[in-house]
Every structure is written in structure tokens, then in C-alpha cells.
Amino acid sequence: MSTAFLAILYRDISMGSGENTCGLILLARPSADFVAPRLRNWYACHTLYHINVLPRCVAAWFTARQALPPFLLASLFMVSALHTLSGVSRDASNLILATLRALLFGAFVACSPGTSRGLLPRQQAILDSIPRDIRTVLTHLKIEPVITKYATCPSCSCLYAPDPTKPDEQYPPHCTFADTTDGPPCGSPLIKKERRISPDDGPLYTHTPLRPFPYHSVSSWIAGLFSRCDLEEVVQGAWERSAPSDGRWYDILQAPALQTFLGPDRQLFSRQPNNDVHLVFGLYLDWFNPGGNKKAGKSRSLGAIYLVCINLPPYLRFRPENICLVGIIPGPNEPSLHQLNHFLRPLVDEMLVLWHAGVYLNQTALHICGRLVRAAIIPLICDLPALRKAAGFASHSSTHFCSFCLLKKSDINNLSRPWPSRSWQDHLVIARQWRDACNRRDRDTLFDKHGLRWSELLRLPYWDPTQYAVVDAMHNLFLGELRHHCMDVWGINVKDYKDKTVKKMSSHTPEEQQKCLDRLVAALRKGALGSVTQLRKGYIVALAQLNNISPMKMTKREYAKSLLTWVCIQFTTLIVHD
């Protein structure tokens, strides 16, 4: 994660130099007048932003950084960039640090006055301030984000936060979570014993999670976002910039659902009083195989939870350094059904604070006195399986296949709108009944009836699952799902014959069309399925649609069977009436 921070650092340091040059090249030959004020300003902003996120001794931290000469600070940035941005290994980075110490020692000795070959105390202090390990450099520069390592139950995926008062036993030994009130506790082990590398005076062993879940604080990420003057300026003017003028929408922030979205004070969220900033995030979830998608490879699955700041314009929104990676869901398999709620719980807890109280930044890049920031998650943008799991809906292949209406799978061919729908309040009532059920049998009964489960996102008082669960455009447009529905499911481009030599059938004249329809009617009167299927599918489909006949499958044979069944029913009805 330090990669994004280093990319920002080098770009910010080089800003205002008047040279169209990479910041890394500028730092290769730094001057004190150029580097020093930029590094000091960056450190001043970057430390103060995190006061409200993690309490730390900012004065002592900043004083320690002031003791580093600008050229040494630039050297540490260079080595960090090589390690994180260019992929230089840890051993090679450590070798570069040793080389820097050797070169600096030679320079001090060569510049020593007289015949003395010893180092002055200040020179020795500078040499001692160069770390011997790249991990110490990354810690020294404070460019790593604020990460909380949760212990995850291997069986039920319940999370356990570390206890800072017990540094050697931060996590409980076993899981105590019970899925329902009548169910037994899980009891699976959570930790393993590991030998310390350098125990010093402490215990020889420490306890680490068997299945860790790293969580990145959203408040910390927001603080880093507001440490960049260019992004703060763009974010604070996003709502005014996105106000619709000509009736056209060019970005999701112009959508009516966001423009009419109300804040906790029941005023428009787009109004930012008292110099506050209101952020809107989009939530993304996806899983991937860390070993690659190979048929012969091992099947493993890791998940990622992302937040994308919609206040940023599209050309900045999806850059890696501007995306908040909230957490990595551990493998080796995806969490089943509602177990995903455990991984969403820390995010929802933090978003509730950002919604009701917000986070006050003591200082930002553009406001030295600080400002208040509020945030909300509105669109949930995932592929279909992840969306149903995160929002608490049933699978797309179940009886309740749709997340927008109440049609059942048996009525999937019903194209008559409007379809029956469920309100937000009805959804909440059913989901809470499922959550509060005493046993799994009651939960299964509710799910079979309504196709809903509880989702942690429903704890957000503003999140409407009937409106904010967005259809994934990547799979529907870019990967051909819409084409599949139009051509294969709806039969828009269905060919009557499997003979690949027939490229295109000739069109019929009105007289030929009348003859084909007469032959179809005669075949239906005879009740001969083979005679009906000899005709073109277009005639069969047209006659079926004219009489509101919709088979389960959109094939010619199914249409023919449905027409014959309909004819038999009509004939029987006429006989009964006569």
C-alpha cells in the first residue's frame, strides 16, 4: 500500500518546480532550497491529518524528522521508491542502503580537515540515522496506512479485534460466536503460537491469528486524501461541478438518486455548510485466485473490499493511488452466504461514525484550521454473485432470482410491466426477522418464502437495497451478458437451420407469407408437431406472441409444443360451451 503514497510524494515534491521532469529525477540532484521546504510541508500536513485517527506524539515525531538532512531524506525516498514502485527485492534494497552509508562515510572522511580521519559527532549521527533494513525505512517514513489485523475464525468467519492492553495475547484462543440464539458456540481455534525473532526481555513466544483479516481505516485514508491540495480542491467542488444543467448526465454523481440524497440532518447531502465536505463512496467486492486461473492449478479464492470516492472525476477516480483498499478477505475459500457480514462489520461501524458525527481533520492541504468530513456509501457495484451475497438477496439461479422485483423464476418470461416490487421498509422487516430468528429452520423458512437474508449494510440508516444495488456494467456490457440475453435467450438472432453453409435466408413476399401461415394453421389443426416445426421459427413465434403464449424455453420446438397445447385447450373449451 506504500506504493500509492510514494507515487504521491514524488509528484507533490516536484510540483511548482517549473521543470517538466519526474520528481525522482529532481531528487537525484536536490538543492536544499528546493527540497527542504517541500519535505517539511509534506511532513507537517501528513502527520497532523492523522491526529484524530490514531493518537501519537506529533511534536516528537516531527522533531525527529527535522533532524534528518534534506539529502538524506531524499535518499530514503529513493530507496523506498525502488523497493515499492520498481519491485527491487528486500536484499537488494538493503545493499543500496549499505552502499549509501559507505559512500557517505567516504565523503565525510575525504572532506575532513587536516590529517584527522575520524568523524565528527554530527557526521556519525547522520550515518547512524541511515537504517540497515528497508522495512525500517518504510516504518521511519510513516508511509504505511493504518492497518488493524483481525483474527478470523476458520469455520464461521467471525472477526475478533486485537486487544491493545494484551500485546502478547491480543486474541481469544477459541471462537465464541453462535450463529443463532439456540445454536452452540463455534469453538474453533483462532490463534497459533510462534517463536519471536528477537525476544529481548519479553516472552519467547507470541500468538498470531491463524486466519488474519487486515482492515484499512477509512478515516485514515480520507486524511491522506486531504493531504493533497489538488485532490482536496477537486473533491470539495464536486457537488457544484456535477449540478445538472442541460438535462444530460455525464457522471454518476449527477444521477437523481445522489442529487436528492438526504444527509443525517434531513437536508440535501450535496449542500456542504460551514466549509464541510460530504463524500460519497461506491463499494466494490470481488474475489480472485492468487495462483492464477489455470485449469490444472489449485482453486483458491481471496476477496478484496474496495471503496471508490465518487466525488473524484472519472479520470482520477479509478487510479490505484486514489482507490481505498479496505480489506483482504482471507482464503482459501469464499465466505459462505451471510458469513460475508463479518467482514463488512468493521467498515459499517466506521461508516456509521462518518455519517452521524464525521471526522474532523485538524489541518488539510488547503485549510490550516481543519475541516469536518462526512461520508456515505451509496452504490454497491459487484458482479451478480457478490452483489447478492453482500446485499442479502437470493442467488440469481434461485426461485427469487431478481433483486429488483418479486417475480419468481417460473414467471421469468413475463415481460408485462410494471412488475410487483418490494419497498425498502418491507425489505428491512423481512431481513430483521431472518436475523432475529432463533434457529436455522426458521431462517430457511423465511428465506424460501421471501429470498432475503440480513446484510450488515442494512445497519446504515440511509442504504436502500432496492435502489443502491447496481447492475454490474462490466459483465453486462463489456463481457457480453446483454448480447447473450438478446441473441440466445430472447432469440433475436436465432437461425432456423444448423447448416452452416446457409448464411442468410431469403425474405418472403406477402403471398408466400400467407401460404406459410395457412400451412401453420393446417398443421396445428392436425396436431402434428413435425409439420409445425418444418416452418420458419418467425411464423411460429409471431403466432404464439399474438395469443400471449410464452414457453419456458425460447426454442422453435418449445414454441410449437406450446401452440399445440393452446389449440387443444381452445378446442376443448369450445366443445364444453357447445
Side-chain angles (χ1 to χ4, degrees):
M1 295 186 186
S2 58
T3 301
F5 284 89
L6 281 172
I8 296 166
L9 282 177
Y10 283 114
R11 184 177 63 187
D12 289 349
I13 291 172
S14 61
M15 285 178 58
S17 62
E19 300 183 34
N20 188 14
T21 314
C22 175
L24 183 59
I25 298 176
L26 286 172
L27 289 177
R29 295 181 296 172
S31 63
D33 294 337
F34 169 74
V35 177
R38 286 164 175 78
L39 293 180
R40 306 290 186 231
N41 291 339
W42 184 88
Y43 272 126
C45 294
H46 187 68
T47 54
L48 290 177
Y49 295 147
H50 295 76
I51 287 179
N52 290 333
V53 181
L54 272 181
R56 61 175 66 161
C57 186
V58 179
W61 189 92
F62 184 63
T63 303
R65 298 309 173 278
Q66 286 183 325
L68 292 176
F71 72 88
L72 181 56
L73 202 55
S75 301
L76 297 183
F77 278 138
M78 179 194 69
V79 181
S80 302
L82 291 175
H83 178 62
T84 57
L85 299 177
S86 301
V88 176
S89 66
R90 184 186 302 171
D91 293 337
S93 301
N94 296 339
L95 179 60
I96 297 174
L97 292 174
T99 304
L100 288 176
R101 286 195 302 273
L103 292 175
L104 198 56
F105 176 81
F108 286 156
V109 171
C111 297
S112 297
T115 58
S116 175
R117 293 301 178 184
L119 298 182
L120 299 175
R122 185 172 182 274
Q123 294 174 339
Q124 187 63 47
I126 292 177
L127 282 180
D128 294 339
S129 63
I130 300 179
R132 299 179 181 274
D133 193 287
I134 187 61
R135 291 171 293 183
T136 308
V137 175
L138 297 177
T139 304
H140 190 71
L141 296 177
K142 300 292 184 181
I143 59 177
E144 292 288 348
V146 179
I147 299 293
T148 302
K149 184 190 292 185
Y150 287 84
T152 308
C153 177
S155 300
C156 66
S157 296
C158 184
L159 299 184
Y160 294 86
D163 187 354
T165 62
K166 301 177 180 178
D168 299 319
E169 296 181 358
Q170 295 182 329
Y171 308 99
H174 296 88
C175 178
T176 58
F177 175 74
D179 195 16
T180 58
T181 55
D182 293 348
C186 177
S188 298
L190 298 175
I191 57 177
K192 60 182 177 180
K193 184 184 292 186
E194 288 188 350
R195 187 182 182 91
R196 288 180 178 269
I197 299 178
S198 55
D200 297 331
D201 296 332
L204 187 62
Y205 293 92
T206 183
H207 296 89
T208 58
L210 286 170
R211 193 175 176 226
F213 170 62
Y215 176 78
H216 180 194
S217 169
V218 180
S219 300
S220 171
W221 185 89
I222 292 175
L225 178 71
F226 279 79
S227 67
R228 302 169 59 186
C229 57
D230 55 341
L231 292 190
E232 182 179 1
E233 185 175 0
V234 170
V235 165
Q236 69 181 5
W239 291 104
E240 291 79 6
R241 187 178 60 253
S242 63
S245 56
D246 56 355
R248 298 180 180 180
W249 305 342
Y250 301 94
D251 189 23
I252 187 175
L253 203 59
Q254 296 176 324
L258 274 67
Q259 291 291 326
T260 59
F261 184 70
L262 301 180
D265 56 355
R266 308 310 299 167
Q267 301 296 321
L268 288 176
F269 198 64
S270 57
R271 297 178 181 175
Q272 304 175 115
N274 304 321
N275 208 27
D276 297 347
V277 178
H278 294 171
L279 301 179
V280 174
F281 288 102
L283 176 61
Y284 293 73
L285 293 97
D286 202 0
W287 280 264
F288 61 94
N289 187 351
N293 295 323
K294 298 180 180 179
K295 291 184 178 180
K298 294 182 179 180
S299 177
R300 299 177 182 272
S301 184
L302 293 180
I305 304 175
Y306 306 90
L307 285 181
V308 174
C309 184
I310 297 179
N311 295 65
L312 293 173
Y315 71 94
L316 293 174
R317 185 177 301 160
F318 300 105
R319 289 185 179 180
E321 64 266 27
N322 297 335
I323 293 178
C324 177
L325 178 58
V326 177
I328 301 293
I329 301 175
N333 301 312
E334 294 185 22
S336 60
L337 302 178
H338 60 283
Q339 289 183 359
L340 181 61
N341 286 330
H342 295 300
F343 299 100
L344 294 176
R345 187 169 295 117
L347 174 62
V348 173
D349 290 340
E350 194 168 7
M351 293 306 301
L352 286 172
V353 176
L354 289 171
W355 171 255
H356 291 291
V359 57
Y360 188 84
L361 306 178
N362 286 358
Q363 180 182 346
T364 67
L366 299 179
H367 292 78
I368 193 171
C369 295
R371 64 196 316 178
L372 181 67
V373 179
R374 295 182 185 272
I377 293 177
I378 295 185
L380 172 63
I381 308 172
C382 318
D383 60 8
L384 207 54
L387 184 142
R388 300 300 177 83
K389 190 180 292 187
F393 292 107
S395 170
H396 62 280
S397 59
S398 69
T399 302
H400 305 275
F401 69 97
C402 185
S403 58
F404 293 95
C405 70
L406 298 178
L407 283 182
K408 295 185 178 181
K409 194 173 182 179
S410 57
D411 301 324
I412 194 172
N413 295 322
N414 182 3
L415 302 180
S416 301
R417 302 186 67 176
W419 298 303
S421 59
R422 183 184 290 118
S423 67
W424 180 12
Q425 294 301 323
D426 293 339
H427 186 107
L428 287 176
V429 170
I430 298 171
R432 285 169 180 160
Q433 289 176 354
W434 185 93
R435 179 195 62 186
D436 300 334
C438 297
N439 50 61
R440 291 188 178 182
R441 185 194 307 173
D442 294 343
R443 284 185 171 182
D444 293 340
T445 302
L446 286 169
F447 179 77
D448 293 340
K449 183 178 180 181
H450 302 286
L452 293 179
R453 298 185 183 91
W454 172 256
S455 170
E456 278 295 301
L457 295 176
L458 298 177
R459 289 172 52 206
L460 299 173
Y462 54 83
W463 199 77
D464 184 356
T466 64
Q467 298 291 328
Y468 300 154
V470 182
V471 177
D472 185 12
M474 181 185 74
H475 292 84
N476 284 277
L477 297 180
F478 302 135
L479 298 184
E481 288 297 324
L482 181 60
R483 175 184 176 278
H484 166 72
H485 272 274
C486 293
M487 299 179 65
D488 299 335
V489 178
W490 291 343
I492 293 178
N493 194 30
V494 176
K495 296 180 179 179
D496 290 326
Y497 303 101
K498 295 183 180 181
D499 187 1
K500 296 183 179 180
T501 61
V502 180
K503 296 182 179 180
K504 186 176 180 180
M505 292 181 295
S506 59
S507 59
H508 284 177
T509 62
E511 293 77 11
E512 292 174 331
Q513 292 178 7
Q514 186 61 48
K515 290 181 180 179
C516 290
L517 290 173
D518 293 340
R519 288 175 55 193
L520 177 59
V521 172
L524 291 173
R525 287 175 177 173
K526 292 180 180 179
L529 179 62
S531 301
V532 175
T533 55
Q534 288 179 357
L535 297 167
R536 289 187 181 182
K537 182 180 179 180
Y539 294 106
I540 304 174
V541 173
L543 186 59
Q545 293 179 349
L546 181 64
N547 294 279
N548 297 322
I549 299 173
S550 298
M552 291 297 296
K553 296 182 179 180
M554 303 296 184
T555 62
K556 180 198 290 188
R557 189 174 184 84
E558 292 298 323
Y559 269 110
K561 288 182 178 180
S562 299
L563 273 174
L564 289 172
T565 302
W566 177 78
V567 169
C568 291
I569 294 174
Q570 296 297 322
F571 182 73
T572 304
T573 304
L574 289 175
I575 294 178
V576 171
H577 285 296
D578 291 341

